[in-house]
Amino acid sequence: MSLITAQNMHKTYQMGEVQIQALQNASFSIEPGKFVSFIGPSGSGKTTLLNLIGCLDQPTQGQLTVDGQNVLTLNTTQRARFRGEHLGFIFQDFNLIPVLTVYENAEYPLIMVKRVPQPQRREKVLALLEAVGMLDQRAKFPSQISGGQKQRLAVARALTTDPKLVLADEPTANLDHASAYKVIDLMQTLSHERGMTFVFSTHDLKIVDHADVIYTLEDGKIVDQKTP
Ligand SMILES: Nc1ncnc2c1ncn2[C@@H]1O[C@H](COP(=O)(O)OP(=O)(O)OP(=O)(O)O)[C@@H](O)[C@H]1O
């Protein structure tokens, strides 16, 4: 069964008198365990689409099922719970909490969302920090680590709750080449080892090279689908 199924999704933003058709008639399905990339020029609708899949926003029209759940029937509280239990997010500006250490940032979703007891939390967080090569940085604060390290921490944090689906909006946008490659490699390895599905928006051809499926967006429409 597909992990994500979207049918004829539209998203219109109302800006005063003006309507912006950010997404038009988007239909696609994404299989579990895949590394999927949405590419397209600035303003083509990539972030809009990721926000819909991530249940951060709702389409104006259409159908969307994520992990067997018709997410459009959920209210705001149910959507928040669904996100916490099923989804992981990696953003281009990392969204780390500056007053928490590396360890505490990675631990945070386990306290807030899953209420996992302390000994299990510790075991899980240490294993993930090790997997992303950040164990020796665990006592530092975000301001004391590099961009690539912040993004690796963001990857670890997104995975602590064992999400089936990880959504990443331009995850390498703020990274130099070497760090971007490391982060992509890491995400791909984790995806293959853990059977997680990764869905990206990106301009970055380095990520696109690694994708199992590539969708191209133009002016809010999916104009191409490739499986390299
Ligand atoms: N909250 C909003 N209110 C009004 N218009 C919006 C809003 N968010 C996005 N848009 C518009 O919707 C269209 C699609 O934007 P979106 O951010 O999804 O594109 P994108 O492909 O992610 O672009 P980029 O690569 O620059 O991040 C654009 O015309 C944008 O200006």
Side-chain angles (χ1 to χ4, degrees):
M1 196 176 75
S2 300
L3 184 69
I4 306 168
T5 311
Q7 285 172 323
N8 303 319
M9 274 206 304
H10 289 256
K11 179 69 187 179
T12 307
Y13 294 109
Q14 189 78 39
M15 297 274 289
E17 302 279 288
V18 182
Q19 286 200 334
I20 297 165
Q21 307 275 353
L23 201 64
Q24 296 179 54
N25 220 23
S27 296
F28 54 90
S29 54
I30 293 177
E31 300 308 309
K34 297 287 184 201
F35 214 60
V36 179
S37 189
F38 285 91
I39 60 171
S42 181
S44 59
K46 302 182 297 296
T47 299
T48 299
L49 188 55
L50 244 63
N51 287 346
L52 296 179
I53 298 173
C55 306
L56 293 164
D57 199 358
Q58 292 213 288
T60 319
Q61 272 179 53
Q63 299 297 320
L64 178 64
T65 305
V66 180
D67 199 14
Q69 170 74 50
N70 175 354
V71 291
L72 306 187
T73 60
L74 303 178
N75 65 28
T76 312
T77 314
Q78 291 167 328
R79 281 212 304 278
R81 190 176 313 131
F82 184 83
R83 285 196 300 272
E85 288 176 355
H86 298 267
L87 310 180
F89 292 90
I90 303 168
F91 298 96
Q92 59 174 294
D93 54 2
F94 322 122
N95 276 12
L96 300 172
I97 301 172
V99 295
L100 299 183
T101 63
V102 163
Y103 178 92
E104 289 162 345
N105 264 285
E107 184 188 36
Y108 188 73
L110 289 178
I111 300 174
M112 294 309 290
V113 180
K114 293 243 161 149
R115 299 184 193 183
V116 174
Q118 208 274 340
Q120 283 101 304
R121 282 206 310 267
R122 187 173 166 74
E123 198 179 319
K124 177 132 222 172
V125 171
L126 291 178
L128 268 169
L129 288 178
E130 181 158 35
V132 302
M134 288 292 290
L135 197 54
D136 56 348
Q137 307 291 317
R138 64 185 179 277
K140 289 189 178 168
F141 289 91
S143 60
Q144 298 171 318
I145 59 177
S146 71
Q149 290 174 325
K150 284 182 192 158
Q151 198 56 305
R152 280 191 274 149
L153 169 57
V155 173
R157 183 191 50 184
L159 303 187
T160 44
T161 54
D162 289 320
K164 280 197 182 157
L165 173 61
V166 179
L167 295 159
D169 196 2
E170 309 244 7
T172 56
N174 290 322
L175 301 181
D176 60 53
H177 262 238
S179 307
Y181 271 114
K182 276 190 205 153
V183 167
I184 295 162
D185 244 22
L186 169 68
M187 291 193 283
Q188 199 175 27
T189 307
L190 293 170
S191 148
H192 288 162
E193 277 175 3
R194 295 166 193 236
M196 286 171 177
T197 309
F198 277 70
V199 177
F200 299 94
S201 84
T202 191
H203 293 286
D204 188 345
L205 294 177
K206 294 188 287 305
I207 292 196
V208 176
D209 283 347
H210 287 71
D212 299 313
V213 187
I214 303 163
Y215 290 97
T216 306
L217 282 163
E218 263 174 37
D219 294 331
K221 299 187 191 105
I222 296 178
V223 294
D224 190 31
Q225 177 192 347
K226 279 202 195 78
T227 40

